[in-house]
C-alpha cells in the first residue's frame, strides 16, 4: 500500500525531488485521504472554505466559475494530474474561486491544512515546490492582467477568456449576454457581434442564446494572436 502511495505522490509536482525515505516518513505522519469519486460528485463548491489541498490524480473534472456581480458563468474541463487552487489555502481570502464536479470516475487525494503546516512544511523541497507553483500562477495572472484591455475586439475577447479560465486549452463554455460581454471588455456591442460571428464562421466558436462555446481554447488563442 505504501509503495502505491509513494508512486502516486511522486507524480505530483509538490512532492517531486523528495526521496523515498521522505515520502515514507510523510505517509506515516501526514493524514492523507485517497478518494475514488463517481460521476457528478461535487469535490469543492465555489465560495466554500478551502481547508485542504486537493489533487486530482486521474479523470476529468468540470470547473464552474460564476461571477454574480457581472452576470456570467464559465464552464471548462480539467484533466488530472491537477492541483485545485493551491493559492486558496492561505492568504486573506481562503475560499474556493470555482466549483469542481467530476465527469466520470475520478481519483483524488486531499491533505488537511494543519498537516501541511505541522509536517510537510518541514521539508525544504516541498516548500520550494509550493512557492514555485504559487509564483508561476501569480506571474501568469500578472501577464494576463497587463494585456486585459489591450488590442482590438478579438484580442479583448481572447484576454477576457484567458484571464478567467483555469487553463488556456480545451473546450470552454461562456454563459453571457452580448451586452454584458461588450461592457466587460469595454467595446461596442456591434464590434463584439462582428468579431464573434467572424470566429463562428471559421468554426472556432459556436454561438447560441446567451452562450458561447469555444471548441478548443488553444486554437482560438492561436488564431487571434497570429491574425493580429
Amino acid at each position: 500500500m505504501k509503495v502505491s502511495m509513494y508512486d502516486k505522490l511522486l507524480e505530483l509536482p509538490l512532492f517531486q525531488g523528495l526521496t523515498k525515505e521522505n515520502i515514507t516518513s510523510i505517509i506515516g505522519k501526514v493524514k492523507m485521504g485517497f478518494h475514488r469519486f463517481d460521476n457528478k460528485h461535487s469535490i469543492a463548491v465555489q465560495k466554500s472554505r478551502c481547508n485542504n489541498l486537493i489533487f486530482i490524480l486521474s479523470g476529468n473534472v468540470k470547473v464552474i466559475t460564476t461571477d454574480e456581480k457581472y452576470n456570467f458563468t464559465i464552464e471548462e474541463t480539467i484533466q488530472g494530474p491537477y492541483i485545485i487552487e493551491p493559492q486558496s489555502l492561505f492568504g486573506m481570502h481562503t475560499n474556493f474561486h470555482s466549483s469542481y464536479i467530476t465527469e466520470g470516475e475520478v481519483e483524488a487525494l486531499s491533505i488537511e491544512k494543519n498537516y501541511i503546516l505541522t509536517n510537510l512544511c518541514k521539508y525544504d523541497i516541498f516548500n520550494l515546490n509550493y512557492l514555485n507553483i504559487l509564483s508561476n500562477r501569480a506571474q501568469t495572472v500578472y501577464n494576463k492582467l497587463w494585456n486585459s484591455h489591450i488590442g482590438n475586439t478579438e484580442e479583448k475577447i481572447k484576454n477576457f477568456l484567458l484571464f478567467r479560465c483555469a487553463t488556456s486549452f480545451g473546450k470552454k463554455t461562456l454563459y453571457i449576454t452580448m451586452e454584458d460581454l461588450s461592457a466587460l471588455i469595454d467595446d461596442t456591442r456591434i464590434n463584439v457581434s462582428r468579431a464573434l460571428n467572424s470566429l463562428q464562421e471559421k468554426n472556432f466558436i459556436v454561438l447560441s442564446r446567451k452562450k458561447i462555446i469555444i471548441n478548443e481554447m488553444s486554437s482560438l488563442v492561436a488564431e487571434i494572436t497570429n491574425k493580429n
Side-chain angles (χ1 to χ4, degrees):
M1 186 174 181
K2 285 188 175 181
V3 174
S4 177
M5 286 186 181
Y6 172 76
D7 292 336
K8 288 183 178 180
L9 289 178
L10 281 183
E11 294 177 358
L12 304 175
L14 274 176
F15 297 98
Q16 289 179 3
L18 291 172
T19 65
K20 185 173 182 178
E21 289 73 20
N22 292 151
I23 297 295
T24 302
S25 176
I26 289 170
I27 292 173
K29 295 178 181 179
V30 180
K31 185 178 180 181
M32 298 183 183
F34 284 88
H35 310 280
R36 187 185 298 272
F37 299 118
D38 293 328
N39 188 38
K40 296 184 179 179
H41 179 88
S42 178
I43 296 178
V45 178
Q46 185 175 358
K47 295 185 179 180
S48 65
R49 184 63 61 88
C50 177
N51 293 319
N52 300 272
L53 263 185
I54 302 174
F55 304 85
I56 304 302
L57 300 175
S58 64
N60 296 328
V61 174
K62 179 182 287 187
V63 184
I64 305 172
T65 309
T66 299
D67 191 317
E68 296 177 353
K69 182 178 180 180
Y70 296 107
N71 196 32
F72 70 86
T73 297
I74 295 178
E75 292 184 359
E76 53 188 316
T77 298
I78 58 173
Q79 185 178 25
Y82 184 84
I83 307 176
I84 293 180
E85 299 188 29
Q87 73 277 9
S88 296
L89 194 63
F90 300 99
M92 295 179 61
H93 306 287
T94 55
N95 296 322
F96 287 107
H97 179 70
S98 307
S99 294
Y100 299 82
I101 301 173
T102 61
E103 292 186 332
E105 191 175 88
V106 169
E107 288 187 333
L109 163 68
S110 64
I111 306 176
E112 293 181 10
K113 182 177 181 178
N114 62 316
Y115 285 100
I116 292 171
L117 293 172
T118 57
N119 289 285
L120 290 181
C121 286
K122 295 178 181 178
Y123 298 92
D124 291 338
I125 294 178
F126 176 87
N127 292 330
L128 180 61
N129 289 339
Y130 205 151
L131 286 173
N132 280 333
I133 289 172
L134 295 179
S135 295
N136 288 337
R137 294 204 176 197
Q139 291 162 9
T140 299
V141 170
Y142 177 81
N143 291 333
K144 291 177 181 178
L145 182 63
W146 184 262
N147 296 317
S148 59
H149 283 83
I150 295 176
N152 58 30
T153 306
E154 286 190 358
E155 289 174 313
K156 290 179 182 179
I157 293 172
K158 176 193 73 174
N159 292 328
F160 173 86
L161 291 166
L162 284 175
F163 191 62
R164 290 161 178 84
C165 289
T167 64
S168 59
F169 53 86
K171 182 180 179 180
K172 318 288 182 184
T173 303
L174 172 62
Y175 297 89
I176 195 171
T177 65
M178 201 78 71
E179 290 79 7
D180 287 336
L181 179 57
S182 302
L184 285 169
I185 67 171
D186 192 25
D187 211 321
T188 66
R189 187 187 184 287
I190 294 176
N191 285 343
V192 170
S193 178
R194 286 173 178 169
L196 291 175
N197 278 286
S198 174
L199 292 171
Q200 180 171 238
E201 290 174 0
K202 299 174 184 177
N203 296 319
F204 288 106
I205 66 173
V206 177
L207 299 175
S208 61
R209 189 173 183 273
K210 297 182 181 181
K211 182 167 71 172
I212 304 170
I213 300 172
I214 297 91
N215 297 320
E216 172 52 55
M217 186 67 181
S218 61
S219 297
L220 176 66
V221 171
E223 161 68 14
I224 296 174
T225 302
N226 295 333
K227 179 180 177 181
N228 298 296

